[in-house]
Amino acid sequence: NPSAFVVWGAPQIFTATRDAELPIVLISLDTLRPDHLSGYGYPRRTTPEIDRRLIDGGVRFADVSTTISSTGIAHLSLFTGLFPREQRTPGRLRAHDPTQTLAETLQAAGFTTAAGTEDGLIAGPFGFWFGFDRFTEQSLVGEARGTETFLDGARFLRANRERRFFLFLHTYKVHAPYRSSAAYARFADPDYWHGPLADRAVPLEHRASVDAYDRAIREAVDQVAAFLGELERRGLARETLVVLVSDHGEAFGEHGLTGHGFGGHQEQLHIPWLLRGPGVPAGRVVATPASIMDVVPTVLDLLDLPAVDTQGRSLRA
């Protein structure tokens, strides 16, 4: 008798272009200000491994703005290349929404897609799982933030090194309350406030928060470095397009505000964007003003994949 069962599978379309075969890793370090990265000129040595592996080995975009200092909405701008006002439900995607995400575009092009994030606004039920074959959310626990996310990313690399993949990793490690492991307790010497940091417009009562923030950045960068080391051990470093961004920055009283989500100053809107991979020049600094919405068109252009309808532009040139 004929079977009564019907099995549906996600179709995969494989392109013939060589560049489209490149694996892609997109890393989002939530709440990361570029002016707190030593590779962007910060006096504390907060990001030595990112400086060496990504900035020296790739492109640093120096003047990048987010669309809004709000995690979910900004990440949807990252994935769709759309301003918040063009998002039907800001920070959310519904099943019937015609908007196509980067993950959906790459999945349709034959990529194996996976994401790792932490409990919060970048959640599957909010629509961020669309386009991903595998979507993992880790428990958001104190100083342990980021650890399991990047370990899970490394496990994905080991299992999928022979495939053309898109891997998205997101962590709240740098987000308030700026928790770091005991090993980083002696980083961020407060004496810097009497020297290299003296010209920072941070009120005295918020300087301890900056110290804690910098410690969290240093640990997050070491987590990223360990993951990038896994790319190297698996022989994937030279052939993988690596993108590192943030969704927004953080205020420490410079204009009478702290945190994010309600201000329009540079400390909340200026974000880092680093790019490394085949065809990407090493040690290049791009001063052209750019947006978080430019990530999707730039990545697709580097892969020689057809452009999608976004409000961003490719900065490949």
Side-chain angles (χ1 to χ4, degrees), residues 48-127:
E49 287 300 312
I50 280 181
D51 300 348
R52 180 175 69 86
R53 295 171 186 260
L54 298 183
I55 292 180
D56 294 345
V59 166
R60 171 171 69 88
F61 294 93
D63 186 8
V64 186
S65 297
T66 188
T67 54
I68 188 171
S69 59
S70 176
T71 296
I73 305 175
H75 272 92
L76 198 54
S77 289
L78 170 66
F79 270 87
T80 64
L82 297 177
F83 278 112
R85 67 172 179 264
E86 299 300 326
Q87 300 174 17
R88 293 192 171 192
T89 306
R92 305 286 191 273
L93 275 178
R94 309 301 181 190
H96 59 274
D97 195 324
T99 301
Q100 185 164 309
T101 68
L102 177 62
E104 290 173 309
T105 300
L106 295 175
Q107 186 184 58
F111 284 74
T112 296
T113 57
T117 182
E118 294 164 350
D119 295 344
L121 294 172
I122 314 303
F126 295 156

Coordinates of all heavy atoms in Angstrom, one line a residue, residues 48-127:
P48 N 44.3 42.4 21.8 CA 45.5 42.1 21.1 C 45.3 41.0 20.0 O 45.9 41.1 18.9 CB 46.5 41.7 22.2 CG 45.6 41.2 23.3 CD 44.4 42.2 23.3
E49 N 44.5 40.0 20.3 CA 44.3 38.9 19.4 C 43.5 39.3 18.2 O 43.7 38.9 17.1 CB 43.7 37.7 20.1 CG 44.7 37.0 21.0 CD 45.9 36.5 20.3 OE1 45.7 35.8 19.2 OE2 47.0 36.7 20.7
I50 N 42.4 40.1 18.4 CA 41.7 40.7 17.3 C 42.5 41.6 16.4 O 42.5 41.6 15.2 CB 40.4 41.4 17.8 CG1 39.3 40.3 18.1 CG2 39.9 42.4 16.8 CD1 38.0 41.0 18.6
D51 N 43.3 42.4 17.1 CA 44.2 43.3 16.4 C 45.2 42.5 15.5 O 45.3 42.9 14.3 CB 45.1 44.1 17.4 CG 44.3 45.0 18.3 OD1 43.1 45.1 18.1 OD2 44.9 45.5 19.3
R52 N 45.7 41.4 16.0 CA 46.7 40.6 15.2 C 46.0 39.8 14.1 O 46.5 39.8 13.0 CB 47.5 39.7 16.2 CG 48.5 38.8 15.5 CD 49.3 38.1 16.5 NE 48.6 37.1 17.2 CZ 48.4 35.8 16.7 NH1 48.9 35.5 15.5 NH2 47.7 35.0 17.4
R53 N 44.9 39.1 14.5 CA 44.3 38.2 13.6 C 43.4 38.8 12.5 O 43.3 38.3 11.4 CB 43.6 37.1 14.4 CG 44.4 36.2 15.3 CD 43.5 35.4 16.2 NE 44.3 34.6 17.1 CZ 44.6 33.3 17.0 NH1 44.2 32.7 15.9 NH2 45.2 32.7 18.0
L54 N 42.6 39.8 13.0 CA 41.6 40.4 12.1 C 42.0 41.7 11.5 O 41.8 42.0 10.3 CB 40.3 40.4 12.8 CG 39.7 39.1 13.3 CD1 38.3 39.4 13.9 CD2 39.6 38.1 12.1
I55 N 42.5 42.6 12.4 CA 42.8 44.0 11.9 C 44.1 44.0 11.0 O 44.1 44.5 9.9 CB 42.9 44.9 13.1 CG1 41.6 45.1 13.7 CG2 43.5 46.3 12.6 CD1 41.6 46.1 14.9
D56 N 45.2 43.4 11.5 CA 46.4 43.3 10.8 C 46.2 42.4 9.5 O 46.9 42.7 8.5 CB 47.6 42.8 11.6 CG 47.9 43.7 12.7 OD1 47.5 44.9 12.7 OD2 48.7 43.3 13.7
G57 N 45.4 41.4 9.6 CA 45.2 40.5 8.5 C 44.1 40.7 7.6 O 43.8 40.0 6.7
G58 N 43.4 41.9 7.8 CA 42.2 42.1 7.0 C 41.9 43.6 6.9 O 42.8 44.5 7.0
V59 N 40.6 43.9 6.9 CA 40.1 45.3 6.7 C 39.4 45.8 8.0 O 38.6 45.0 8.6 CB 39.2 45.4 5.5 CG1 38.4 46.7 5.5 CG2 39.9 45.3 4.2
R60 N 39.7 47.0 8.4 CA 39.0 47.6 9.5 C 38.2 48.8 9.0 O 38.8 49.7 8.4 CB 40.0 48.1 10.5 CG 39.4 49.0 11.6 CD 40.4 49.3 12.8 NE 41.5 50.1 12.4 CZ 41.5 51.5 12.5 NH1 40.4 52.1 12.9 NH2 42.5 52.2 12.1
F61 N 36.9 48.8 9.1 CA 36.1 49.9 8.8 C 36.1 50.9 10.0 O 35.6 50.5 11.0 CB 34.7 49.4 8.4 CG 34.7 48.6 7.2 CD1 34.8 47.2 7.2 CD2 34.6 49.2 5.9 CE1 34.7 46.4 6.1 CE2 34.6 48.4 4.8 CZ 34.6 47.0 4.8
A62 N 36.5 52.1 9.7 CA 36.8 53.0 10.9 C 35.5 53.8 11.3 O 35.5 54.3 12.4 CB 37.9 54.0 10.5
D63 N 34.6 54.0 10.4 CA 33.5 54.9 10.6 C 32.1 54.2 10.3 O 31.5 54.5 9.3 CB 33.6 56.2 9.8 CG 32.6 57.2 10.1 OD1 31.8 57.1 11.1 OD2 32.5 58.3 9.4
V64 N 31.7 53.3 11.2 CA 30.5 52.5 10.9 C 29.5 52.9 12.0 O 29.8 53.0 13.2 CB 30.8 51.0 11.0 CG1 29.5 50.2 10.6 CG2 31.9 50.7 10.1
S65 N 28.3 53.1 11.6 CA 27.2 53.4 12.5 C 26.1 52.3 12.5 O 25.9 51.7 11.4 CB 26.5 54.7 12.1 OG 27.4 55.8 12.2
T66 N 25.5 52.1 13.6 CA 24.4 51.2 13.7 C 23.1 52.0 13.3 O 23.2 53.2 13.2 CB 24.2 50.5 15.0 OG1 23.2 49.5 15.0 CG2 23.9 51.6 16.1
T67 N 22.0 51.3 13.2 CA 20.8 52.0 12.9 C 20.0 52.5 14.1 O 19.3 53.5 14.1 CB 19.8 51.1 12.1 OG1 19.6 49.9 12.8 CG2 20.4 50.8 10.7
I68 N 20.3 51.8 15.2 CA 19.6 52.2 16.5 C 20.4 51.4 17.6 O 20.9 50.3 17.4 CB 18.1 51.8 16.5 CG1 17.4 52.3 17.7 CG2 18.0 50.3 16.3 CD1 15.9 52.1 17.6
S69 N 20.4 52.0 18.8 CA 21.2 51.3 19.9 C 20.3 50.4 20.6 O 20.1 50.5 21.9 CB 21.8 52.4 20.8 OG 20.8 53.2 21.3
S70 N 19.7 49.5 19.9 CA 18.8 48.5 20.5 C 19.1 47.1 19.9 O 19.1 47.0 18.7 CB 17.3 48.9 20.2 OG 16.4 47.9 20.7
T71 N 19.3 46.1 20.7 CA 19.9 44.9 20.3 C 19.1 44.2 19.2 O 19.6 43.9 18.1 CB 20.1 43.9 21.4 OG1 21.0 44.5 22.3 CG2 20.5 42.5 21.0
G72 N 17.8 43.9 19.4 CA 17.0 43.1 18.5 C 16.8 43.9 17.1 O 17.0 43.3 16.1
I73 N 16.5 45.2 17.2 CA 16.2 45.9 16.0 C 17.5 46.1 15.2 O 17.5 46.0 14.0 CB 15.6 47.3 16.3 CG1 14.4 47.1 17.2 CG2 15.3 48.1 15.1 CD1 13.8 48.4 17.7
A74 N 18.6 46.4 15.9 CA 19.9 46.6 15.2 C 20.4 45.3 14.5 O 20.9 45.3 13.4 CB 21.0 47.1 16.1
H75 N 20.2 44.1 15.2 CA 20.5 42.9 14.6 C 19.7 42.5 13.4 O 20.1 41.9 12.4 CB 20.5 41.7 15.6 CG 21.7 41.5 16.4 ND1 22.0 42.2 17.6 CD2 22.9 40.8 16.1 CE1 23.2 41.8 18.0 NE2 23.7 41.0 17.1
L76 N 18.4 42.9 13.4 CA 17.6 42.7 12.2 C 18.1 43.6 11.1 O 18.0 43.2 9.9 CB 16.1 43.0 12.6 CG 15.1 42.4 11.6 CD1 15.3 40.9 11.4 CD2 13.7 42.6 12.0
S77 N 18.5 44.8 11.4 CA 19.2 45.6 10.3 C 20.4 44.9 9.8 O 20.7 45.0 8.6 CB 19.6 47.0 10.9 OG 18.4 47.8 11.2
L78 N 21.2 44.3 10.7 CA 22.4 43.5 10.3 C 22.0 42.4 9.3 O 22.7 42.2 8.3 CB 23.1 43.0 11.5 CG 24.2 42.0 11.3 CD1 25.4 42.6 10.6 CD2 24.7 41.4 12.6
F79 N 20.9 41.7 9.6 CA 20.6 40.5 8.8 C 19.8 40.8 7.6 O 19.8 40.0 6.6 CB 19.8 39.5 9.7 CG 20.7 38.5 10.4 CD1 21.2 38.9 11.7 CD2 21.0 37.3 9.9 CE1 22.0 38.0 12.3 CE2 21.8 36.4 10.5 CZ 22.3 36.7 11.7
T80 N 19.1 42.0 7.5 CA 18.3 42.3 6.4 C 18.8 43.5 5.6 O 18.3 43.7 4.5 CB 16.8 42.6 6.8 OG1 16.8 43.8 7.7 CG2 16.3 41.4 7.6
G81 N 19.6 44.3 6.2 CA 20.1 45.6 5.5 C 19.0 46.6 5.4 O 18.9 47.4 4.5
L82 N 18.1 46.6 6.4 CA 16.9 47.5 6.4 C 17.0 48.5 7.6 O 17.3 48.0 8.7 CB 15.6 46.8 6.4 CG 15.3 45.9 5.2 CD1 14.0 45.2 5.4 CD2 15.3 46.7 3.9
F83 N 16.5 49.7 7.4 CA 16.4 50.6 8.5 C 15.2 50.1 9.4 O 14.3 49.4 9.0 CB 16.0 52.0 8.0 CG 17.1 52.9 7.6 CD1 17.3 53.2 6.2 CD2 18.0 53.4 8.5 CE1 18.4 54.0 5.8 CE2 19.1 54.2 8.1 CZ 19.3 54.5 6.8
P84 N 15.2 50.5 10.7 CA 14.2 50.0 11.6 C 12.8 50.4 11.1 O 11.8 49.6 11.3 CB 14.5 50.8 12.9 CG 16.0 50.9 12.9 CD 16.3 51.2 11.5
R85 N 12.6 51.5 10.5 CA 11.3 51.9 10.0 C 10.8 51.0 8.9 O 9.6 51.0 8.6 CB 11.3 53.4 9.5 CG 12.1 53.7 8.3 CD 11.9 55.1 7.8 NE 12.7 55.4 6.6 CZ 13.9 55.9 6.6 NH1 14.4 56.3 7.8 NH2 14.6 56.1 5.5
E86 N 11.7 50.3 8.2 CA 11.3 49.4 7.2 C 11.0 48.0 7.7 O 10.6 47.1 6.9 CB 12.3 49.4 6.1 CG 12.6 50.7 5.4 CD 11.3 51.3 4.7 OE1 10.5 50.4 4.2 OE2 11.1 52.5 4.7
Q87 N 11.3 47.8 9.0 CA 11.0 46.5 9.6 C 9.5 46.5 10.0 O 9.1 47.3 10.8 CB 11.9 46.2 10.8 CG 13.4 46.2 10.4 CD 14.3 46.2 11.7 OE1 13.8 45.8 12.8 NE2 15.5 46.5 11.5
R88 N 8.8 45.5 9.5 CA 7.3 45.5 9.7 C 7.0 45.5 11.2 O 6.1 46.1 11.7 CB 6.7 44.3 9.0 CG 6.7 44.4 7.5 CD 5.8 43.4 6.8 NE 5.7 43.7 5.4 CZ 4.8 43.1 4.6 NH1 4.0 42.2 5.2 NH2 4.8 43.3 3.3
T89 N 7.7 44.6 11.9 CA 7.7 44.6 13.4 C 9.1 44.8 13.9 O 9.9 43.8 13.8 CB 7.1 43.3 13.9 OG1 5.8 43.1 13.3 CG2 6.9 43.4 15.4
P90 N 9.5 46.0 14.3 CA 10.9 46.2 14.6 C 11.5 45.2 15.5 O 11.0 44.9 16.6 CB 10.9 47.6 15.3 CG 9.8 48.3 14.6 CD 8.7 47.2 14.5
G91 N 12.6 44.6 15.1 CA 13.3 43.6 15.9 C 12.7 42.2 15.8 O 13.1 41.3 16.5
R92 N 11.6 42.0 15.0 CA 10.9 40.7 14.9 C 10.7 40.4 13.5 O 10.4 41.2 12.6 CB 9.6 40.8 15.7 CG 9.6 41.2 17.1 CD 10.2 40.2 18.0 NE 10.0 40.5 19.4 CZ 10.9 41.2 20.1 NH1 12.0 41.7 19.5 NH2 10.7 41.5 21.4
L93 N 10.7 39.1 13.2 CA 10.3 38.6 11.8 C 9.2 37.6 12.0 O 9.3 36.7 12.9 CB 11.5 37.9 11.1 CG 12.4 38.8 10.3 CD1 13.6 38.0 9.7 CD2 11.7 39.6 9.2
R94 N 8.2 37.7 11.3 CA 7.1 36.7 11.3 C 7.2 35.8 10.1 O 7.8 36.1 9.1 CB 5.7 37.5 11.2 CG 5.5 38.6 12.2 CD 5.7 38.1 13.7 NE 5.5 39.2 14.6 CZ 5.7 39.1 15.9 NH1 6.2 38.0 16.4 NH2 5.5 40.2 16.7
A95 N 6.5 34.7 10.2 CA 6.6 33.7 9.1 C 6.1 34.2 7.8 O 6.6 33.8 6.7 CB 5.9 32.4 9.5
H96 N 5.2 35.1 7.8 CA 4.6 35.6 6.6 C 5.3 36.9 6.0 O 5.0 37.4 5.0 CB 3.1 36.0 6.8 CG 2.9 37.0 7.8 ND1 2.8 36.7 9.1 CD2 2.8 38.3 7.8 CE1 2.6 37.8 9.9 NE2 2.6 38.8 9.0
D97 N 6.4 37.3 6.8 CA 7.1 38.5 6.4 C 7.9 38.2 5.1 O 8.7 37.3 5.1 CB 8.0 39.0 7.5 CG 8.5 40.4 7.3 OD1 8.7 40.8 6.2 OD2 8.6 41.1 8.4
P98 N 7.8 39.0 4.1 CA 8.5 38.7 2.8 C 10.0 39.1 2.9 O 10.8 38.8 2.0 CB 7.8 39.6 1.8 CG 7.2 40.7 2.6 CD 6.9 40.2 3.9
T99 N 10.4 39.8 4.0 CA 11.8 40.2 4.1 C 12.7 39.0 4.2 O 12.4 38.0 4.9 CB 12.0 41.0 5.4 OG1 11.1 42.2 5.4 CG2 13.4 41.4 5.6
Q100 N 13.8 39.0 3.4 CA 14.7 37.9 3.4 C 16.0 38.2 4.2 O 16.6 39.3 4.0 CB 15.1 37.6 1.9 CG 15.9 36.3 1.8 CD 16.0 35.8 0.3 OE1 14.9 35.6 -0.3 NE2 17.2 35.6 -0.2
T101 N 16.4 37.3 5.0 CA 17.6 37.5 5.9 C 18.8 37.0 5.1 O 18.7 36.2 4.2 CB 17.5 36.8 7.2 OG1 17.5 35.4 7.0 CG2 16.2 37.2 7.9
L102 N 20.0 37.4 5.6 CA 21.2 36.9 5.1 C 21.3 35.3 5.2 O 21.7 34.7 4.3 CB 22.4 37.5 5.8 CG 23.8 37.0 5.5 CD1 24.1 37.3 4.0 CD2 24.9 37.6 6.4
A103 N 20.8 34.8 6.3 CA 20.8 33.3 6.5 C 19.9 32.7 5.5 O 20.3 31.6 4.9 CB 20.3 33.0 7.9
E104 N 18.8 33.2 5.2 CA 17.9 32.6 4.2 C 18.5 32.7 2.8 O 18.4 31.7 2.0 CB 16.5 33.3 4.2 CG 15.7 33.0 5.5 CD 14.4 33.9 5.6 OE1 14.5 35.1 5.4 OE2 13.4 33.3 5.8
T105 N 19.1 33.8 2.5 CA 19.8 33.9 1.2 C 20.9 32.9 1.0 O 21.0 32.3 -0.1 CB 20.4 35.4 1.0 OG1 19.3 36.3 1.1 CG2 21.1 35.5 -0.3
L106 N 21.7 32.7 2.0 CA 22.8 31.8 1.9 C 22.3 30.3 2.0 O 22.8 29.5 1.3 CB 23.8 32.0 3.0 CG 24.5 33.4 3.0 CD1 25.4 33.6 4.2 CD2 25.3 33.5 1.7
Q107 N 21.3 30.1 2.7 CA 20.7 28.7 2.8 C 20.2 28.4 1.4 O 20.4 27.2 0.9 CB 19.6 28.7 3.8 CG 19.0 27.3 4.0 CD 17.8 27.3 5.0 OE1 16.8 28.0 4.7 NE2 17.9 26.5 6.0
A108 N 19.5 29.3 0.7 CA 19.0 29.1 -0.6 C 20.1 28.9 -1.6 O 19.9 28.2 -2.7 CB 18.1 30.2 -1.1
A109 N 21.3 29.4 -1.3 CA 22.4 29.2 -2.2 C 23.2 28.0 -1.9 O 24.3 27.7 -2.6 CB 23.4 30.4 -2.1
G110 N 22.7 27.1 -1.0 CA 23.3 25.8 -0.8 C 24.2 25.8 0.5 O 24.9 24.8 0.7
F111 N 24.3 26.8 1.3 CA 25.1 26.8 2.5 C 24.4 26.0 3.6 O 23.2 26.1 3.8 CB 25.4 28.2 3.0 CG 26.4 29.0 2.2 CD1 26.0 29.5 0.9 CD2 27.6 29.3 2.7 CE1 26.9 30.3 0.2 CE2 28.5 30.0 1.9 CZ 28.2 30.5 0.7
T112 N 25.2 25.3 4.3 CA 24.8 24.8 5.6 C 24.8 25.9 6.6 O 25.9 26.5 6.8 CB 25.7 23.6 6.1 OG1 25.6 22.5 5.2 CG2 25.3 23.1 7.5
T113 N 23.7 26.2 7.3 CA 23.6 27.4 8.1 C 23.4 27.0 9.6 O 22.6 26.1 9.9 CB 22.5 28.3 7.6 OG1 21.3 27.6 7.6 CG2 22.8 28.8 6.2
A114 N 24.1 27.7 10.5 CA 24.0 27.4 11.9 C 24.2 28.7 12.7 O 25.0 29.6 12.2 CB 25.0 26.4 12.3
A115 N 23.6 28.8 13.8 CA 23.7 30.0 14.7 C 23.8 29.6 16.1 O 23.2 28.6 16.6 CB 22.5 30.9 14.5
G116 N 24.6 30.4 16.9 CA 24.7 30.2 18.3 C 24.6 31.5 19.0 O 25.3 32.4 18.7
T117 N 23.6 31.6 19.9 CA 23.4 32.9 20.6 C 23.1 32.6 22.1 O 23.3 31.4 22.5 CB 22.3 33.7 19.9 OG1 22.1 34.9 20.6 CG2 21.0 33.0 20.0
E118 N 22.7 33.6 22.8 CA 22.4 33.4 24.2 C 21.0 33.9 24.6 O 20.5 34.8 23.8 CB 23.5 34.1 25.1 CG 24.9 33.4 24.9 CD 26.0 34.3 25.3 OE1 25.8 35.5 25.7 OE2 27.2 33.7 25.4
D119 N 20.4 33.4 25.6 CA 19.1 33.8 26.0 C 19.0 35.4 25.9 O 19.7 36.1 26.6 CB 18.8 33.4 27.4 CG 18.7 31.9 27.5 OD1 18.6 31.2 26.5 OD2 18.7 31.3 28.6
G120 N 18.0 35.9 25.2 CA 17.9 37.3 25.1 C 17.1 37.6 23.8 O 16.2 36.9 23.4
L121 N 17.4 38.8 23.3 CA 16.6 39.3 22.1 C 16.9 38.7 20.8 O 16.1 38.8 19.9 CB 16.8 40.8 22.1 CG 16.3 41.6 23.2 CD1 16.7 43.1 23.1 CD2 14.8 41.6 23.3
I122 N 18.0 38.0 20.7 CA 18.3 37.3 19.4 C 17.9 35.9 19.6 O 18.6 34.9 19.6 CB 19.8 37.4 19.1 CG1 20.4 38.8 19.3 CG2 20.1 36.9 17.7 CD1 19.6 39.8 18.5
A123 N 16.6 35.7 19.6 CA 15.9 34.4 19.9 C 15.2 33.9 18.7 O 14.7 34.7 17.9 CB 15.0 34.6 21.1
G124 N 15.1 32.6 18.7 CA 14.4 31.9 17.6 C 12.9 32.4 17.4 O 12.5 32.7 16.3
P125 N 12.1 32.4 18.5 CA 10.8 32.8 18.4 C 10.6 34.3 17.9 O 9.5 34.6 17.5 CB 10.2 32.7 19.8 CG 11.1 31.6 20.4 CD 12.4 31.9 19.9
F126 N 11.6 35.1 17.9 CA 11.5 36.4 17.4 C 11.8 36.5 15.9 O 11.9 37.5 15.3 CB 12.5 37.4 18.1 CG 12.2 37.6 19.6 CD1 13.2 38.0 20.5 CD2 10.9 37.4 20.1 CE1 12.9 38.1 21.8 CE2 10.6 37.6 21.4 CZ 11.6 37.9 22.3
G127 N 12.1 35.3 15.3 CA 12.3 35.2 13.9 C 13.8 35.1 13.5 O 14.1 34.9 12.3

